[in-house]
Amino acid sequence: MSKPPSNPSPSNPSPSNPSPSNPPAVRDSVLELIADTPIVRAHRLDAGVCNLFLKLESQNPGGSIKDRIGLRMIEAAEQRGDIKPGDTLVEGTAGNTGIGLALVAQQKGYKLILVVPDKMSREKIFNLKAMGAEVVLTRSDVAKGHPDYYQDMAERIARETPGAYFINQFGNPDNPAAHEHGTGPEILAQMAAVGGLDAIVFGCGSSGTMTGLSRCFAQHSPHTELVLADPVGSILAEYINEGTLNEKSGSWMVEGIGEDFLPSISDFSRVKRAYAITDRESFLAARELLRCEGVLGGSSTGTLLAAALKYCREQTVPKNVLVFVCDTGNKYLSKQYNDYWMLDNGFLARESHGDLRDLILRPYSQRDTVVVGPKDLLVTAYQRMKLYEISQMPVMEGDRIVGILDESDVLLHVYGDEARFRDPVSTAMVSKLDILDVRAPVEALLPVFDRGHVAIVMDGDRFLGLITRIDLLNWLRRRVQ
């Protein structure tokens, strides 16, 4: 996917294309930092004959392009007299719209209730709660019309909450207006410095970005091609490429884009090309963007980038192509940038051995296993369990396993006398070990798990690693995939 760096062109616009006036050095509000995000040229990604440009919407104060619509939808409602500070706002969101709304609501004095699907990254949920929003988790495996579908649930909560205002990004005309009158003109002004914009690659969730840009470009840059990047499982790519509106969608892990229905504000009339991108392609493309260009983008950014590179490589004449970095990858550190999460979900290839090593997530030989020593304090073991979110650790003396320490062992040892956290691990560990030879059948794990233990895998006297119930479940799921 990568190529050697080329010599960058001058980053400053020519005198005939002056940059916007310099912004003030001091702003009165974080909301004044929304929009006017930079564009950078990609140099190490293989874009064929095309010039690929990255619009860094991750530089918005809330970390995504959705800050734009959060501000627009709330301020437009204020201007109409629909809401006033102190009111309750309700919305269903896959995350970034919620963060944008939370940012504006926090600054303007609104209470905010957000209904979010349970596939959302933990980082987004932590972000929302830290900003004061009330977060209601619901199922991500149901379609529109189901009472647990996040948009339907949000509408119901708004209806049942006295005085609440339903934002409704999927049917709110202020959503595309933010991009028609803000994002679109901003992009055209920036790209004028490099000869204009031939194609733009975007994703669709609420469809506000697409609809707004389409209206803007129809008037001001009609030659610009609109290219949709869509997760496999969404109905939108098939709708664009084949004209078929499928009533059955699949599931996907990428957050924020893809749909199982056509939002009422959507206008696909100028979109002539769409690419369906798998979760694996999306996550790997986002990681490649960080390696090659130093840009930390989110999961939907990976989808857009994978589609943009496919589009660019199909071209036979040079074009200026722009792709959004929709949000920051800081919100996905526990997912696509976590090697263990990627391995668990089958998105990174692992060496196959044909034995129990295939089930070990953290091999000891690679120093991936989190261990503790028999002379270490129990408080040290507890802190490591918390840090790495594990419930048991092998107790190692050199390269020899001498015990297993489980969170229940620690609990039983210290309950009633918290001072015993200062006792050595050896006083609480289990020395009678459930050892399995690496060549044992997978079925041999079941009796170990039935006893409530963890399997210790050995090759002769050499400790290879641990296998837990979740490791077996992940292995079984990868086989299905």
Side-chain angles (χ1 to χ4, degrees), residues 210-456:
M210 174 201 66
T211 300
L213 292 180
S214 179
R215 292 171 180 169
C216 173
F217 294 166
Q219 182 176 357
H220 300 292
S221 186
H223 75 282
T224 299
E225 201 173 344
L226 276 67
V227 180
L228 173 66
D230 201 37
V232 168
S234 168
I235 67 170
L236 301 180
E238 181 181 346
Y239 176 68
I240 295 299
N241 293 333
E242 302 176 23
T244 303
L245 186 57
N246 197 330
E247 295 183 356
K248 293 184 178 181
S249 65
S251 61
W252 57 95
M253 300 179 74
V254 165
E255 298 180 34
I257 58 173
E259 273 306 339
D260 49 13
F261 73 105
L262 298 185
S264 61
I265 60 171
S266 63
D267 178 2
F268 290 90
S269 60
R270 294 193 65 245
V271 184
K272 306 302 181 186
R273 187 66 185 274
Y275 294 86
I277 305 297
T278 65
D279 284 330
R280 184 176 188 274
E281 289 177 295
S282 299
F283 297 140
L284 294 180
R287 290 164 66 106
E288 187 76 359
L289 177 64
L290 180 58
R291 280 193 298 268
C292 292
E293 305 293 342
V295 174
L296 183 65
S299 59
S300 61
T301 296
T303 308
L304 272 59
L305 178 61
L309 292 175
K310 288 185 178 184
Y311 173 86
C312 288
R313 292 166 188 166
E314 292 172 359
Q315 307 309 304
T316 56
V317 296
K319 292 183 178 180
N320 283 347
V321 180
L322 184 139
V323 63
F324 287 107
V325 177
C326 310
D327 69 342
T328 173
N330 286 332
K331 302 169 184 176
Y332 307 88
L333 295 177
S334 65
K335 298 180 76 172
Q336 71 196 45
Y337 295 107
N338 179 346
D339 286 353
Y340 298 119
W341 185 89
M342 292 286 286
L343 285 166
D344 273 347
N345 287 280
F347 298 134
L348 287 181
R350 62 170 75 206
E351 184 180 0
S352 178
H353 300 278
D355 55 32
L356 290 182
R357 282 175 291 181
D358 295 342
L359 284 75
I360 299 173
L361 177 62
R362 298 173 181 262
Y364 180 72
S365 62
Q366 298 176 19
R367 292 297 186 258
D368 278 349
T369 307
V370 181
V371 303
V372 69
K375 296 180 182 179
D376 289 332
L377 302 181
L378 285 173
V379 68
T380 301
Y382 166 77
Q383 289 168 343
R384 289 180 188 173
M385 288 178 180
K386 292 283 289 182
L387 177 62
Y388 292 99
E389 296 183 335
I390 55 178
S391 57
Q392 63 280 308
M393 288 189 297
V395 182
M396 304 296 296
E397 204 164 46
D399 285 333
R400 186 171 64 91
I401 184 167
V402 295
I404 285 285
L405 184 70
D406 186 275
E407 60 186 2
S408 60
D409 301 324
V410 179
L411 174 61
L412 291 174
H413 191 82
V414 303
Y415 186 76
D417 185 2
E418 292 84 350
R420 301 189 72 181
F421 269 114
R422 306 296 299 176
D423 290 351
V425 165
S426 58
T427 61
M429 72 182 191
V430 174
S431 301
K432 186 177 180 181
L433 307 178
D434 276 295
I435 293 176
L436 289 180
D437 183 81
V438 67
R439 288 165 287 276
V442 172
E443 292 76 13
L445 293 167
L446 299 179
V448 176
F449 297 156
D450 191 50
R451 291 191 292 272
H453 295 170
V454 61
I456 299 164

Side-chain angles (χ1 to χ4, degrees), residues 51-101:
N51 298 306
L52 183 62
F53 297 87
L54 309 168
K55 176 70 166 163
L56 302 185
E57 289 298 298
S58 53
Q59 297 299 304
N60 281 300
S64 87
I65 192 172
K66 299 297 188 176
D67 287 5
R68 296 176 183 264
I69 68 171
L71 182 62
R72 177 80 181 215
M73 291 188 297
I74 288 179
E75 290 194 337
E78 288 177 330
Q79 291 164 10
R80 291 191 299 268
D82 294 339
I83 57 174
K84 62 184 184 303
D87 287 348
T88 298
L89 312 179
V90 183
E91 179 61 330
T93 170
N96 282 322
T97 299
I99 292 173
L101 289 170

